Amino acid sequence: MKNQYDLLNGSSVDFDEYEEIELTASEKKRMKKRLKREIKPTRKKARPLIAAAVLLLAVTPVMMQNETVWASVARIGQQIELLMNKPEGSFSGYKKTVNETATDQGIQVKVNELMLDDGQVLLGLTISADEFRRTALGLNRDASIRPGELRVKIGNMLFFDSASSIREEPTKNKDGSWNYLYALKLTQADTNGDGKIDVEGYNVLDHIDPNKNYQISAQFTSLDFEKNPGQTKSGNYRDSYGEIKGNWTVHTSVNGSKIIADTKVYPLNKEIPINENGIEGVLSIKEVRVSPVSIKMHYTFTASKGSIRGGMDVGVDIKDQNGRNLSESGSGGGTDKMLEMDGEYRNDKDVIMLRFIPYVSDHEKDSSKDLTSDAFNLKVNNK
């Protein structure tokens, strides 16, 4: 049974019910820190997971963009760009139209579009089931069937057990189906076919031949659904959700030449000493990667004094030249002395400068401090 955080994956809200509200900088900071939670994080084999994934765009009616709250998305399954706040068709050179449907147990999973990005694959999906199947599942009348676990195979590399996120279109289609944007990190792979992860920290674009087309399969091994309240035996929150095991696999091909050519890597090699709130150590940032789709950064924090368990967090925010916070999501793990994180940040078209701002936060006290004296800037060529 999924934990309470997993059950939040793919949650949706009716954006029309919320008015546009101007937020102060302090309000936005507090909001972002409160939203830190687990969204199918990368599973670390050798140490317990302590860092949670952050996904502002998927789970709250309050969304920040251009310093205001926004709520305008549509046709997610057909246009990957729209939920990512990009002009329609702006990823046409990177994504591929698939329009292939897999059916199992009377449930259809249609992959509308697929896009390979730096370190991840994105799928535009539509999931549907007939009335008989919905009734048999005890499906809540207006509830959706959501995508569950995904395994992606590119060539001979099988990716699974990695961090993932789901964004759900606020309203269902006229035929009762639902659209989703599903992103899977391509960071952990089975390279020898034994069903076990043997490569971690993998970066797919660094290992793809730009002159080659690769066969790719996307296999959902489970789907999730919310039960009809009248058919929930215990009334327990977790008991309100069910899982459908099956095989929904779609095959296509992918070429990474354009996304590889347009992804830029900027070496940073920054080591920033931290001494705040009883925490001492070194924050290390090796590089930042900027693709047409996203900005990604891997960083570590090694504590020499104090513990980063119990609600303490050391991290990095990224803002653009106008002061807009670009932070979107993150996943990672560690111990009480070592934190390892992969951060993802929104890449807006007009971003020409990135400002990196380390911070230390205490979630128990609901406080956070930006270490502005250690902040630094980077000019980027973002086309």
Side-chain angles (χ1 to χ4, degrees), residues 58-81:
V59 298
T60 172
V62 184
M63 299 183 179
M64 291 172 286
Q65 189 266 335
N66 293 332
E67 304 302 320
T68 61
V69 178
W70 64 275
S72 177
V73 293
R75 293 166 54 208
I76 297 168
Q78 300 298 326
Q79 292 289 338
I80 288 176
E81 297 94 330

Side-chain angles (χ1 to χ4, degrees), residues 48 50 108-109 128 147 168 208 240 242-243 246 253 264 286 315 327:
I50 66 167
Q108 294 78 42
V109 176
S128 59
E168 181 176 338
I208 282 183
S240 299
E243 184 178 61
S253 62
K264 301 174 178 63
K286 181 181 179 182
S327 300

Side-chain angles (χ1 to χ4, degrees), residues 134 139-144 172 178:
R134 295 172 67 88
L139 198 66
N140 190 323
R141 179 178 179 182
D142 295 321
S144 54
K172 62 182 177 181
W178 292 87

